[in-house]
Amino acid sequence: MMRHLVVPNREVEAVLGHVRARGWGALSHRVFSSEDGFSRLIPLDAGAPLELPDSLNYPVEMHEGVPDEKIETDWLTLLAVEVDQSTILEKGESWPSNHEFVGDMMIVRIDNEVAEFTDSIARAKLGAHPHIRLLLADDGVEGEFRIRQLRPIGARLADRILAGPSLEFAPPDLFSTEVAVKESGRVIRCDPTRAYFSTKLQTERLETLALAKELREELDRPLRVADPFCGVGPALATLLGEPDLVSDLLATDLNPNAIQLLMTNLSKWDKKPYPEGAPDIHRAYDNRLVGLADALTLSASSSIAGQWDLVLVNLPHRTIEFLPALVPLLDRSTPSIIRGRAIVEESAIEEANQAIRSALPDMMADKPQPSLKIKRDYSASLRLCSFEAWIASE
Ligand SMILES: C[S@@+](CC[C@H](N)C(=O)[O-])C[C@H]1O[C@@H](n2cnc3c(N)ncnc32)[C@H](O)[C@@H]1O
């Protein structure tokens, strides 16, 4: 899902001019017509700010992006230079049509069916996407730090494309995976080979922002937000970008590399210095508790337990199991929210909903009960879902 500006047909050219001049148009996705045919939907880049200037004051809608067929045909045309057409047809859906951009890197999944053509895929993808420096194959997420196993399979050196054995001639800098990503107008430093980061969660982060604003309205004050699995802090980038939304922040993670990048990010977002490296959890400022910590031990500290209005739980393969250890973080004297993501068998979603409800205290009577919403397939039978629970005050 991505943000689209909904613009009346006769204003589209002028608006496209503004959007492109600022670099806010989504590369590789195209403009398409609204259902009634009176407007066009212009896809916005993830980096475009949340608050748009008056010249772009049009409704914004979340939609699946429509891939730019030209780029798709470009890469397949380039592939056809190296792989014969009958093999391209035979392998059909196994060719990597999806990809993720992280800064000037592109990440693709290479299906086993087409693994023998990896070098050709790399040359074709880099040929079709001239702004990409490094192409990485995604071999899945591993370990408790949830780090993606990424393998360089192609790179661009000036006007040459390197893939296969020629990659050995690339200078080491070309393989650097620490990049800056712009999202919702904020710069996030990340390194997906050292700490979890996914650009695909932008929609999730925008939904969390909307929920946080609703809670702020309910409480009539800025929020104390805890993100005990914060990684490099992308969820916080969006929340801190909203004026007067966050008063106090807890941002912790177990992965020292994630904390190191988080410190760099927080210095930029808060515009004040944070320690270098990966310090243990400490109060960097009166309203900023940050550093290395095991989320499961946080509520044992009397200065941390019972202090937070919004708790984010983004460790989808263990969220439900960890809920009982995280609930004591909430300030139960006023309404609060737990927002989580979970990986669940599609056939067991109702069971998982029951497990979530029984792990949590009473909900607010005028809000919907927490219930998992499927966001995407995780495997043939598993689904990646998210939920929010509005917890009543005691
Ligand atoms: C799926 S990632 C999400 C990171 C970040 N919230 C984001 O959206 O990009 C889960 C994070 O939880 C961290 N983690 C795993 N177990 C943890 C624990 N017991 N305590 C604290 N962090 C933990 C991992 O290191 C990883 O950064």
Side-chain angles (χ1 to χ4, degrees):
M1 298 282 259
M2 55 202 300
R3 288 179 294 159
H4 289 74
L5 273 188
V6 185
V7 180
N9 287 341
R10 67 195 136 71
E11 294 168 45
V12 166
E13 277 314 309
V15 172
L16 263 178
H18 283 291
V19 168
R20 287 188 180 139
R22 292 175 166 95
W24 293 345
L27 293 170
S28 73
H29 286 83
R30 65 173 177 79
V31 177
F32 60 93
S33 178
S34 62
E35 266 178 25
D36 62 14
F38 294 127
S39 314
R40 305 216 143 222
L41 283 84
I42 301 179
L44 292 179
D45 183 69
L50 290 178
E51 295 281 321
L52 295 170
D54 287 347
S55 57
L56 296 177
N57 191 9
Y58 295 92
V60 174
E61 277 185 15
M62 296 304 286
H63 257 278
E64 238 18 282
V66 179
D68 185 338
E69 277 139 26
K70 185 175 165 311
I71 291 182
E72 203 42 37
T73 28
D74 277 357
W75 104 265
L76 284 171
T77 310
L78 293 172
L79 186 68
V81 175
E82 309 198 22
V83 179
D84 62 75
Q85 199 61 45
S86 59
T87 311
I88 293 184
L89 289 175
E90 182 201 327
K91 304 286 182 191
E93 302 271 291
S94 304
W95 298 108
S97 54
N98 290 328
H99 46 248
E100 180 179 354
F101 295 119
V102 181
D104 61 354
M105 305 186 295
M106 183 182 193
I107 301 176
V108 291
R109 269 183 185 272
I110 307 277
D111 191 305
N112 282 343
E113 273 284 301
V114 295
E116 64 184 292
F117 303 105
T118 298
D119 300 352
S120 303
I121 292 171
R123 280 187 286 271
K125 285 277 183 190
L126 284 164
H129 294 274
H131 62 288
I132 292 300
R133 165 183 57 92
L134 183 63
L135 180 65
L136 300 152
D138 187 347
D139 293 333
V141 177
E142 260 184 21
E144 58 183 340
F145 296 163
R146 311 311 296 149
I147 296 173
R148 280 201 270 183
Q149 306 303 300
L150 298 173
R151 201 166 24 100
I153 56 170
R156 186 184 315 280
L157 182 60
D159 54 357
R160 283 175 60 206
I161 291 177
L162 309 178
S166 67
L167 269 180
E168 288 194 26
F169 298 100
D173 278 5
L174 204 58
F175 294 119
S176 166
T177 45
E178 188 179 321
V179 291
V181 172
K182 204 155 186 207
E183 188 178 288
S184 306
R186 293 240 141 180
V187 175
I188 303 169
R189 281 214 85 80
C190 64
D191 180 343
T193 65
R194 295 197 298 139
Y196 179 92
F197 177 78
S198 172
T199 58
K200 293 192 178 155
L201 297 187
Q202 192 200 16
T203 314
E204 203 66 26
R205 300 192 257 270
L206 292 176
E207 286 174 12
T208 303
L209 173 64
L211 274 172
K213 286 180 172 175
E214 214 178 318
L215 181 61
R216 171 176 60 183
E217 211 153 289
E218 188 85 36
L219 301 180
D220 198 22
R221 58 166 170 78
L223 307 178
R224 293 159 300 162
V225 176
D227 188 354
F229 307 93
C230 67
V232 304
L236 306 172
T238 313
L239 297 176
L240 289 170
E242 171 71 22
D244 303 322
L245 182 62
V246 179
S247 57
D248 296 58
L249 184 67
L250 173 138
T252 51
D253 197 284
L254 261 191
N255 175 357
N257 290 323
I259 292 300
Q260 191 195 346
L261 286 155
L262 172 79
M263 294 298 141
T264 310
N265 284 329
L266 282 174
S267 330
K268 295 265 160 48
W269 303 335
D270 267 347
K271 299 192 181 71
K272 49 192 181 193
Y274 276 79
E276 285 183 9
D280 282 338
I281 182 171
H282 68 291
R283 231 169 248 287
Y285 295 98
D286 278 353
N287 58 355
R288 296 288 186 263
L289 255 172
V290 296
L292 276 174
D294 181 343
L296 297 183
T297 64
L298 289 173
S299 56
S301 157
S302 57
S303 61
I304 299 178
Q307 301 292 320
W308 308 97
D309 305 309
L310 169 62
V311 173
L312 307 178
V313 190
N314 185 4
L315 188 63
H317 61 302
R318 308 195 70 183
T319 292
I320 300 178
E321 168 196 347
F322 282 4
L323 280 180
L326 299 167
V327 167
L329 293 174
L330 295 170
D331 176 357
R332 299 292 320 286
S333 65
T334 46
S336 53
I337 295 182
I338 290 200
R339 163 100 166 133
R341 284 157 51 76
I343 294 170
V344 181
E345 288 276 347
E346 184 158 6
S347 57
I349 287 190
E350 217 19 70
E351 225 171 285
N353 282 336
Q354 290 305 337
I356 291 171
R357 289 170 200 160
S358 57
L360 296 176
D362 289 346
M363 304 297 153
M364 287 175 73
D366 57 344
K367 299 285 183 189
Q369 290 288 303
S371 114
L372 289 164
K373 293 179 199 76
I374 298 179
K375 292 304 175 79
R376 64 178 169 85
D377 293 351
Y378 188 77
S379 70
S381 61
L382 293 172
R383 303 289 169 260
L384 191 52
C385 307
S386 66
F387 69 92
E388 62 268 356
W390 287 83
I391 314 279
S393 54
E394 254 169 347

